[in-house]
Amino acid sequence: MFKAFLINVLPVVIAVVAIAVPTWIGVRQTRISQHVNNIQAMINLLDEFRSAAFHDQHEYVCNRLQQEHDPSEGVRGLPSEAKATFCNVVYYYQSFATLTIFQLVDEDLFLPLLRHRLSDVWRATQPFVERERELRGSDSSYLSAFEELARRAAELPSTYIHDRIRGTRRNQRRWFPLWASRRRAAPDGM
C-alpha cells in the first residue's frame, strides 16, 4: 500500500518541483533585470551629484531664484542665465519623474534619496511653474511629472530611509547561519 502511494505521489511531487523551480528562477531573473535599469540611472544620478556646478545651481534655485526674480512672468520671463539654471535643475528632476512614470526606474529606490531635494526645488519653483501654466493657456501639463514626484516625496515619512536600512539589516540576518552572525559580532581580538 505504501509503495503504491509513493508510486502515485512521487511523480506529482517531481512535476510540481519541475514547475516551481523554473517559475521561481524566472521571477528572480525578472527582478534582477529591473534592477539593471535602476543601476544605470543611479550611476547617472551620482555623476550629476559629483558636479559642484550642479550643487551651485541647485542652491541658487532653492535659495535665490524667488528673491532675485519675480514669478509673475513665469519661466519665460527669467533672464537667460537664470532660465538656464532653472532648466538644468528642474528638468533634471523632471527626467527622473518621467522615468518613474514609465516604470523604467523604481520609485522606491530614488524617492527616498531625492526626497528633500525634490521638495525644496518644487517649493522654490512652484510660483514660476504655475504662472507659466497660466501663460500657456490650455497646457496644464507643464512639469506635472516633477510636481507629482515632489508631492509623493513630501508624503514620505521622515524616518523612511532609516526604517528601510533597519529592515534590510533585519532581513540579511535571516540569510546568514547562526555561527556566521556570531562571528561578525565577536570582538576583533577573538
Side-chain angles (χ1 to χ4, degrees):
M1 178 100 179
F2 184 70
K3 284 184 181 181
F5 175 76
L6 281 178
I7 291 173
N8 291 329
V9 171
L10 192 57
V12 172
V13 170
I14 291 171
V16 168
V17 170
I19 292 171
V21 170
T23 302
W24 177 78
I25 290 172
V27 168
R28 184 100 169 116
Q29 286 178 332
T30 301
R31 270 194 224 139
I32 289 170
S33 69
Q34 288 171 344
H35 289 296
V36 169
N37 292 332
N38 293 330
I39 290 169
Q40 187 59 48
M42 182 64 87
I43 289 169
N44 293 341
L45 172 68
L46 294 175
D47 282 345
E48 190 67 30
F49 280 156
R50 280 183 256 176
S51 164
F54 182 79
H55 286 283
D56 291 343
Q57 290 175 338
H58 191 276
E59 187 272 330
Y60 173 82
V61 167
C62 290
N63 299 322
R64 295 183 14 223
L65 183 68
Q66 283 190 31
Q67 293 173 357
E68 295 178 11
H69 305 285
D70 183 18
S72 66
E73 295 296 318
V75 177
R76 66 181 73 183
L78 290 171
S80 54
E81 190 173 321
K83 187 188 293 186
T85 300
F86 175 94
C87 289
N88 190 40
V89 173
V90 171
Y91 282 100
Y92 178 73
Y93 295 116
Q94 172 78 0
S95 65
F96 279 103
T98 304
L99 291 173
T100 59
I101 286 170
F102 291 108
Q103 298 177 349
L104 297 173
V105 297
D106 186 1
E107 183 178 308
D108 291 338
L109 179 65
F110 287 102
L111 208 52
L113 299 175
L114 299 174
R115 180 175 167 261
H116 294 292
R117 288 181 170 267
L118 284 163
S119 297
D120 293 346
V121 171
W122 175 248
R123 237 184 337 272
T125 60
Q126 183 177 3
F128 293 92
V129 172
E130 288 175 351
R131 180 62 182 143
E132 186 68 27
R133 288 175 182 167
E134 291 172 11
L135 294 171
R136 289 177 178 223
S138 63
D139 184 12
S140 63
S141 65
Y142 178 68
L143 294 173
S144 59
F146 169 57
E147 179 183 12
E148 176 61 19
L149 197 65
R151 184 191 63 75
R152 290 181 194 173
E155 291 175 354
L156 283 177
S158 61
T159 60
Y160 185 85
I161 290 179
H162 300 294
D163 295 342
R164 288 289 301 256
I165 290 169
R166 269 189 247 120
T168 301
R169 287 182 184 156
R170 232 185 335 269
N171 291 340
Q172 285 178 345
R173 284 192 202 125
R174 278 191 259 153
W175 294 104
F176 288 102
L178 185 58
W179 60 269
S181 61
R182 285 185 186 149
R183 179 183 288 170
R184 282 184 299 172
D188 291 332
M190 298 189 108

